[in-house]
Each structure stands twice: as C-alpha cells, then as structure tokens.
C-alpha cells in the first residue's frame, strides 16, 4: 500500500502542512472551500502509484496550516506565492498545478504568473475566468441578488457563527447539496439562516462520502475555525484590483479541465458554450471533459474517473 506522509514546510513566513505520496515529477494538488488536503485522498495514492510525487497542502488559513491574522494576508498574490514557494521548498524544477474550487484560480494563476514553473495546469470544477473590466461583486449582485453566498461571506464573523455552530451538519449539507446525488442542482443562494439554511441534511450519505469523512472535516475545523478560509472570499474585490495588469493575459501551458454536468459552478455558465469560451483564453486546452451526473466535489464523487484523467494528462506533460 502506498504510504501517505505528512510534514510542515516553511513557506513565505508561514508553516504550511502538506500530505504527500510517491516520488518523481511533482504534482501539486490545491484544494478548495470548505475542504482540506483530505479532499485529494484518492488522488495522492493513485498519482504516486503512477510514478509521481503527489503533494496536497492545507492551504493558507485552513486547518493544520497557519492562519495569518489580517484579511489582506489572503490575496491571490499570497496564494500564488504560497504555491510557488511550495514548488521551491519541495526542490522541484516545476510542477503540474491541480486546483479544485478555490484552488483552481490559484493553479491557473501560477500558470499565468510563473509559466516557467508549470508543466501543465489542471482545473477541477472551475473553468478559467479571464479578468473582466467590471468589479466582480457588483456583477454577482446584479446577476444573483444580495443573497448569493459569496456576498454573504463578506461580513467577518457572520458565516463563521453559522458554520462553527455545528460543523458536522454543515459539511453533510454542503457536500450533499452540491453533489451529483442531490435531486436538484444547488443555486448557492442563502436564506435568513445563512448559507446552509436552505440545504437538506441527507438521511443517508451518498456512496462516495462516509460519516468518517465528515468527521475528518468537522474535527479539522473545530477549534481552528473558518475565518482563514472565508478570508479568501473577502479578497475578491482586492484581487480584481491587484490583477489589473493581467487583463487579457492568456494561459499557454498545456491545460486540462474536468467538471460535472450537475455542478452548480459549471452551470453558472452555459455548459455547451464553456469549452469554446475557455479555448479563447487557454490556448493549449488539451483535455476538456464534463462527467455526466457528477456534481461539484468531483475528485471525491468520481475518484476513479478523475484519477484516470489526471494520470493521462500528467503523463502527457511529464
């Protein structure tokens, strides 16, 4: 059985916890919200068995890694800098950067800012979105109203109180509601009880998710809290301001996109038009797949198919 190892690395003035397996060319696996490196548990061993050094950090502000105190410590430049710092700290000449959810903008950003360090870039669930000329939260409010979850996350302390009251129930609701197993595609709109208020607590978990998995996530955030993770959202406007020089910048590294056709993020866009839209800005999009019936948590929901696609792509650029 492939051993999964754990350690801390000093990167950019903070201690970042990483889980890793295997040896060989580096594959850096960047998780999203509200997850941890545990979300890549199936990919670590599969990539290691295929001859790669798979490394999944708990990113800045998340459990097991340091949580800088200021909201301004979580800009996209900090997050990209951490990924670059990890590549260097691991002694690798380059990496395939893999991102899911919030990890995807980081993976794409490393490919934009430091293409010399990127053999290829993989996005799970979140397509590349080129910088737009208008402030993003204003566009979100105009499109979805004031109760969209990203707007709800802006006020410090509000979402924390909701999620920290009962992390286990919050994780059960969120993982089920935005998976392919939910009866309807989630709309990401909050109600008077917050983000998880309108979500169903499933009587039975889907087959890809166990009570032990829920416990791992809930125990990780208990005590640590959600503030560091939520601070990523509180920099959306600041990130837009900081990346003005990147407007129109293309991504020319080999790229792969894998999503689910029942993912609410994919369905923000017109799924039928998504590939040509991405191809206009990701000029070497060599792999694009939407898995039928899959939701947002694709590397957990559909581990075997995700692993096969990842190994094929990573092998092709390594």
């Amino acid at each position: 059985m492939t051993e999964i190892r754990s350690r801390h690395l000093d990167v950019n003035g903070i201690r970042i916890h990483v889980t890793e397996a295997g040896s060989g060319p580096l594959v850096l696996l960047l998780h999203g919200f509200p997850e941890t490196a545990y979300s890549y548990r199936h990919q670590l061993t599969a990539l290691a068995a295929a001859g790669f050094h798979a490394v999944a950090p708990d990113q800045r502000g998340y459990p097991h890694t340091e949580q800088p105190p200021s909201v301004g410590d979580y800009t996209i430049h900090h997050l990209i800098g951490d990924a670059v710092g990890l590549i260097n700290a691991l002694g690798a000449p380059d990496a395939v950067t893999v991102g899911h959810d919030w990890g995807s903008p980081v993976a794409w950003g490393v490919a934009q800012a430091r293409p010399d360090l990127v053999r290829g870039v993989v996005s799970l669930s979140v397509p590349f979105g080129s910088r737009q000329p208008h402030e993003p939260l204003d566009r979100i409010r105009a499109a979805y109203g004031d109760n969209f979850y990203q707007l709800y996350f802006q006020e410090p302390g509000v979402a924390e109180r909701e999620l920290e009251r009962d992390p286990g129930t919050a994780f059960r609701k969120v993982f089920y509601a935005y998976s392919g197993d939910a009866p309807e595609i989630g709309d990401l709109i909050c109600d008077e009880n917050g983000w998880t208020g309108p979500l169903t607590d499933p009587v039975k978990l889907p087959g890809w998710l166990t009570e032990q998995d829920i416990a791992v996530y809930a125990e990780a955030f208990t005590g640590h809290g959600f503030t560091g993770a939520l601070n990523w959202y509180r920099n959306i406007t600041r990130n837009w301001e900081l990346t003005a020089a990147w407007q129109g910048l293309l991504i020319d590294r080999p790229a792969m996109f894998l999503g689910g056709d029942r993912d609410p993020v994919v369905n923000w866009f017109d799924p039928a038009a998504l590939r040509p839209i991405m191809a206009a800005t990701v000029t070497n999009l060599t792999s694009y797949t939407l898995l039928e019936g899959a939701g947002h948590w694709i590397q957990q929901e559909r581990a075997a198919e995700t692993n096969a696609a990842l190994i094929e792509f990573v092998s092709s650029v390594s």
Side-chain angles (χ1 to χ4, degrees):
M1 175 179 261
T2 302
E3 177 192 10
I4 295 180
R5 309 180 298 275
S6 173
R7 57 173 164 154
H8 284 84
L9 296 171
D10 293 319
V11 176
N12 297 337
I14 64 171
R15 285 176 62 75
I16 294 180
H17 177 256
V18 301
T19 53
E20 59 188 324
S23 59
L26 177 61
V27 181
L28 188 64
L29 302 159
L30 304 166
H31 67 79
F33 178 87
E35 297 167 291
T36 65
Y38 185 74
S39 66
Y40 285 113
R41 59 197 177 277
H42 306 299
Q43 287 68 51
L44 284 168
T45 53
L47 287 162
F52 298 98
H53 183 195
V55 178
D58 291 305
Q59 296 200 78
R60 172 182 294 247
Y62 279 82
H64 313 303
T65 285
E66 283 191 54
Q67 181 173 317
S70 171
V71 172
D73 292 326
Y74 295 86
T75 73
I76 192 65
H77 290 330
H78 288 86
L79 307 178
I80 292 170
D82 288 347
V84 170
L86 283 167
I87 294 170
N88 293 331
L90 290 161
D94 52 31
V96 173
T97 56
V98 179
H100 171 254
D101 187 81
W102 248 115
S104 289
V106 182
W108 291 121
V110 177
Q112 283 184 301
R114 290 297 307 271
D116 57 308
L117 294 179
V118 176
R119 299 192 309 279
V121 56
V122 176
S123 177
L124 306 175
S125 304
V126 178
F128 176 67
S130 57
R131 185 186 186 276
Q132 300 299 306
H134 305 293
E135 198 278 327
L137 292 183
D138 287 344
R139 290 188 288 112
I140 287 170
R141 186 174 287 106
Y144 302 105
D146 292 331
N147 293 327
F148 193 67
Y149 81 109
Q150 293 185 1
L151 299 173
Y152 171 69
F153 288 168
Q154 294 305 307
E155 183 64 31
V158 175
E160 284 94 331
R161 286 190 291 273
E162 176 197 345
L163 298 174
E164 291 166 13
R165 187 164 49 243
D166 185 353
T169 298
F171 280 112
R172 289 172 62 91
K173 286 184 169 187
V174 169
F175 282 138
Y176 176 69
Y178 304 130
S179 75
D181 296 271
E184 297 180 358
I185 297 172
D187 59 12
L188 299 170
I189 302 298
C190 303
D191 68 8
E192 65 276 8
N193 295 311
W195 182 38
T196 64
L199 306 183
T200 299
D201 188 353
V203 175
K204 181 181 179 182
L205 292 174
W208 55 271
L209 187 66
T210 68
E211 291 292 352
Q212 181 181 356
D213 295 330
I214 296 294
V216 169
Y217 286 112
E219 289 169 11
F221 280 90
T222 297
H224 183 93
F226 287 83
T227 296
L230 289 163
N231 280 344
W232 291 43
Y233 289 93
R234 293 165 186 158
N235 279 281
I236 289 174
T237 296
R238 188 178 285 111
N239 290 343
W240 177 75
E241 295 169 348
L242 290 172
T243 56
W246 293 9
Q247 189 158 324
L249 184 63
L250 305 179
I251 291 177
D252 63 3
R253 307 309 296 144
M256 165 186 154
F257 177 77
L258 179 68
D261 69 355
R262 302 195 76 248
D263 183 343
V265 176
V266 170
N267 282 277
W268 287 350
F269 307 89
D270 175 1
L274 192 51
R275 182 170 189 165
I277 289 171
M278 281 188 63
T281 51
V282 182
T283 60
N284 197 2
L285 184 62
T286 62
S287 176
Y288 176 93
T289 306
L290 288 181
L291 295 182
E292 184 177 355
H296 185 63
W297 318 107
I298 194 160
Q299 76 269 32
Q300 298 182 82
E301 291 183 50
R302 305 286 279 272
E305 289 155 290
T306 300
N307 292 348
L310 272 177
I311 290 167
E312 181 179 359
F313 175 80
V314 172
S315 299
S316 74
V317 299
S318 301

